[in-house]
Amino acid sequence: MVVEDEHDIAQLLALHLGDNDFEVTIACDGHEGMRQAFARKWDLIILDIRLPGPDGLSICRALRREQAYVPILMLTSKSLELDRVLGLELGADDYVTKPFSVTELVARVRAIFRRIESLEKTIPGVGEAIEIASIKIDPASRQVTVGRDRVKLTAREFDLLLHFARHPGLVFSRAQLLDQVWGYGHEGYEHTVNSHINRLRAKIEPDSTQPSLIVTVWGVGYKLDPEPQAASAA
Ligand code: CA
């Protein structure tokens, strides 16, 4: 789905994506975009930031509060750094700055689909639940429980936790996490990783001020400790 109020751009996108065998639905303002975004499960949403009604950032934020993950490509106007940072902070998968070349945009769309396909294909035992200490992660239902309690994670927090859980004990740098979990390796967005890790810790760690599960490896990055010490242990 393309959410774009500029008619010419929306038509151009629909035409070229259609030529590339994508089926495209257009929402021409923020209200329609917000309604459509939740009306069905989309394979990808291309979201313009500046829209009448709720803007692209609001729609992105609302989608990322949901447990189900939908890939989002943002269209930003000019090269407003703030727009970019906000888009990525909010959990967009990628962004393209206007004016953009259609070829470039189609290439980005393909890259997002390729990444999702390879994620789904290459991970062994993709549907199997993983248990670490008192945490149970179920990739099929995308649910996480700590002890007996269900924990509500955003789509990105879930992906991050699952990535760590599938590679217990392995240290990942922030750049690697951006590349492997977010799907892009833009430099300068490492703080995005930090803030997601902090939110994730607050939800799953017994004591998030002294993380025992997702631990910081000084000067390198983070790893998941497969045998975390109980927070109460002296
Ligand atoms: Ca616009």
Side-chain angles (χ1 to χ4, degrees):
M1 173 171 67
V2 174
V3 188
E4 167 63 274
D5 59 310
E6 286 160 83
H7 183 257
D8 292 350
I9 295 179
Q11 289 304 321
L12 188 74
L13 287 181
L15 185 74
H16 285 266
L17 289 168
D19 281 349
N20 284 273
D21 295 328
F22 294 106
E23 240 177 83
V24 182
T25 300
I26 297 171
C28 58
D29 63 40
H31 294 294
E32 180 64 10
M34 188 72 95
R35 195 184 64 74
Q36 290 267 20
F38 293 94
R40 52 169 275 203
K41 167 129 184 45
W42 300 97
D43 297 315
L44 173 70
I45 298 181
I46 298 179
L47 204 48
D48 186 31
I49 286 194
R50 282 156 212 285
L51 296 165
D55 64 11
L57 297 175
S58 313
I59 298 173
C60 183
R61 199 179 290 123
L63 282 164
R64 284 296 178 255
R65 271 192 230 112
E66 294 292 299
Q67 211 161 26
Y69 164 75
V70 54
I72 298 172
L73 175 71
M74 298 289 254
L75 304 181
T76 73
S77 38
K78 299 175 202 158
S79 51
L80 289 177
E81 201 56 28
L82 182 66
D83 282 358
R84 297 182 173 192
V85 174
L86 280 176
L88 296 175
E89 283 275 308
L90 286 172
D93 292 85
D94 202 354
Y95 65 86
V96 171
T97 305
K98 289 179 176 177
F100 53 83
S101 92
V102 182
T103 318
E104 167 74 8
L105 184 123
V106 172
R108 298 288 191 96
V109 168
R110 288 198 178 284
I112 291 175
F113 280 114
R114 263 201 310 278
R115 181 172 62 81
I116 289 163
E117 267 172 34
S118 74
L119 264 181
E120 284 168 353
K121 271 185 206 153
T122 57
I123 298 165
V126 76
E128 284 166 33
I130 301 172
E131 282 184 67
I132 294 155
S134 61
I135 297 176
K136 190 174 176 191
I137 307 156
D138 183 1
S141 62
R142 295 180 68 85
Q143 286 183 0
V144 174
T145 50
V146 178
R148 293 179 163 202
D149 301 325
R150 263 276 297 281
V151 180
K152 203 163 189 287
L153 299 183
T154 65
R156 190 74 75 188
E157 288 162 0
F158 181 88
D159 290 341
L160 194 56
L161 176 61
L162 188 60
H163 186 73
F164 279 118
R166 282 180 169 152
H167 306 92
L170 256 183
V171 182
F172 294 99
S173 69
R174 291 167 185 81
Q176 284 173 322
L177 290 170
L178 273 176
D179 191 43
Q180 293 162 17
V181 178
W182 274 255
Y184 46 74
H186 300 314
E187 278 176 38
Y189 291 104
E190 279 77 5
H191 65 280
T192 302
V193 177
N194 298 4
S195 57
H196 277 79
I197 297 255
N198 289 338
R199 285 200 291 271
L200 182 58
R201 280 170 166 167
K203 293 181 182 179
I204 63 166
E205 294 274 358
D207 176 2
S208 64
T209 62
Q210 305 207 331
S212 59
L213 188 73
I214 295 177
V215 294
T216 303
V217 181
W218 264 99
V220 189
Y222 302 99
K223 69 169 182 178
L224 180 139
D225 187 343
E227 289 168 354
Q229 318 234 316
S232 55

